Amino acid sequence: MATPLQQPPQAGGGKRKGKAQYVQAKRARRSDGGGPRQLEPGLQGILITCNMNERKCVEEAYSLLNEYGDDLYGPEKQFTDKDEQPSENEGEDDDVETALKKEVGDIKASTEMRLRRFQSVESGANNVVFIRTLGIEPEKLVHHILQDMYKTKKKKTRVILRMLPISGTCKAFLEDMKKYAETFLEPWFKAPNKGTFQIVYKSRNNSHMNREEVIKELAGIVGSLNSENKVDLTSPQYTVVVEIIKAVCCLSVVKDYILFRKYNLQEVVKNAKDPSQLHPKQAAQARNGQEAKLESGDKSDQNDPEEKNNQQAVLENSEELEQSKPMSETQVVTEGGTKPELASEVTEGSESNENDLS
C-alpha cells in the first residue's frame, strides 16, 4: 500500500501569510501614484453613485470629468522624467543632514508630481465611487457638467446615477461636524452673505449618527451665521449636502439642486413635457387621460341649458348654507378666502418642517 506523500516543510519554519497581508501588499503596489487610497478626512472630490458596476462607473467618471475639466481648467499638466530626477552632482559637498533634507524634499516633490487631477479612492460603501480632486473646485465643475447636460439633453453616461461635489470632509462625530461646519459654511451663509437653504442627509455603513440631530445642529449653525438665512424646501438657493460613509462626513453646498433633479445625471437629460421620455405604459396612460378629459368636456357641452341652470342653483344654495354655518374653534381663518385649516394640522406641519429639513 502506497504511503501518502508528505509536503516539504516551508522555508524558515514560519506560517503562511494570511489573506489580509496579501491584500495590504496589493494595495501598497496600487498606491505607487501617490496620495491616499481611501476616503478620509481632509479630502475634496466628487461622490458618485452607480448601479452595480463600479468599474464601469469609474471609467465613465474619468471620461466625463476629464472632458469638462479640460474645458474649464485647460489640459492637465504632464510631468517629464527630467523634472522628477535630481541632478547627479547635487549635494555632494553638503553634510549628511542637509543631504538628508534634500532627499526627503525630492521624494515629496516627486510624489506631488505623480498626483493626478482626478484619482479614484475606496469609498467604503457599495455602489459608491469617490473621485479625489486636486487643484479644482468640485462644485463649479459638477455644476458645469449638469448645466450643459440640462441644456443639451444629451445623455453621456450609462451606469452613473448621481454626481455630488464634496468640498470638505471631517470625522463623522457630532462635535467634529459642528466644529468643522462653523467655518465651512461661512462663504455661503455668513453676513453679509445670506440665502434660503435646505439640508439633505444620507448615511451609509454608519449607525451612531442621528439624522434629526445632525440636521437640527447644522440648521442652527446656518441661522447663527446670519439671522436672514431661511429654510425653503421647495426652491432653495442653496442645498447643504451631508453624506456620511462609515466614520467620514462629506459636506458640500450646491445650487440648483431641485432644477438638476437632485444632481442625477440620468434624470437631468429627461424632458418631462416630452411623452417620448416617458415609459410606454406611462405614455399610454397620459394619452388615455387626455382623451378621457376631452370626452368628458364634449359631453358637458352637450348638456341641456335647463340642467346647467339647475346646477347653478344648487351651487348658490350650498354657498348660502356654508355662510350661515358657524365656524368651530379648531379652525383657522386664512386671508384671501382660502380653505381654512385645522389648528392641529398647522402645528403638526410646522413641527415636521422644523425637524426634517431635507
Side-chain angles (χ1 to χ4, degrees), residues 83 302-303:
D83 296 332
Q302 296 176 359
N303 291 335

Side-chain angles (χ1 to χ4, degrees), residues 95-252:
D95 54 6
V96 178
E97 184 177 358
T98 305
L100 182 59
K101 289 182 180 180
K102 286 186 177 182
E103 184 177 357
V104 172
D106 293 337
I107 294 174
K108 290 183 178 180
S110 62
T111 302
E112 293 176 356
M113 291 177 184
R114 289 195 299 267
L115 292 178
R116 303 298 303 271
R117 177 184 287 174
F118 304 108
Q119 180 63 54
S120 173
V121 301
E122 296 180 6
S123 65
N126 293 330
N127 299 326
V128 178
V129 172
F130 190 87
I131 305 295
R132 189 261 305 148
T133 60
L134 183 65
I136 68 168
E137 300 176 23
E139 300 101 334
K140 184 178 179 180
L141 177 60
V142 175
H143 189 274
H144 178 63
I145 294 173
L146 288 163
Q147 189 174 32
D148 182 68
M149 296 180 68
Y150 178 78
K151 290 180 179 179
T152 61
K153 300 299 180 183
K154 184 178 179 181
K155 186 176 180 179
K156 296 190 175 184
T157 61
R158 296 184 62 183
V159 300
I160 293 179
L161 299 180
R162 300 176 67 198
M163 181 175 283
L164 297 172
I166 302 300
S167 302
T169 54
C170 64
K171 294 181 180 180
F173 297 94
L174 188 59
E175 293 301 323
D176 295 275
M177 293 171 60
K178 289 167 58 178
K179 184 178 180 180
Y180 184 77
E182 290 175 355
T183 305
F184 175 80
L185 298 173
E186 288 183 354
W188 297 275
F189 300 109
K190 186 177 182 180
N193 299 325
K194 62 179 181 179
T196 58
F197 72 98
Q198 68 172 351
I199 298 175
V200 293
Y201 176 94
K202 178 68 176 179
S203 177
R204 298 178 177 88
N205 299 337
N206 183 293
S207 60
H208 67 271
M209 298 301 300
N210 183 273
R211 178 178 183 271
E212 287 75 15
E213 189 175 6
V214 171
I215 292 176
K216 181 179 179 181
E217 292 293 341
L218 293 180
I221 293 174
V222 174
S224 65
L225 294 175
N226 190 340
S227 59
E228 296 185 7
N229 295 324
K230 302 298 181 182
V231 176
D232 186 354
L233 303 181
T234 56
S235 58
Q237 292 177 266
Y238 303 106
T239 297
V240 181
V241 178
V242 183
E243 291 279 344
I244 295 179
I245 302 178
K246 290 187 176 181
V248 180
C249 173
C250 305
L251 291 174
S252 65

Side-chain angles (χ1 to χ4, degrees), residues 20-59:
Q21 295 180 356
Y22 286 108
V23 172
Q24 292 176 359
K26 183 177 179 181
R27 291 178 179 175
R29 290 194 300 270
R30 287 169 50 191
S31 63
D32 291 339
R37 298 300 303 176
Q38 62 183 1
L39 180 60
E40 61 185 27
L43 293 182
Q44 285 187 341
I46 300 171
L47 190 146
I48 303 172
T49 61
C50 60
N51 191 7
M52 303 299 294
N53 195 339
E54 295 184 14
R55 178 174 295 182
K56 180 65 175 176
C57 177
V58 173
E59 294 177 0

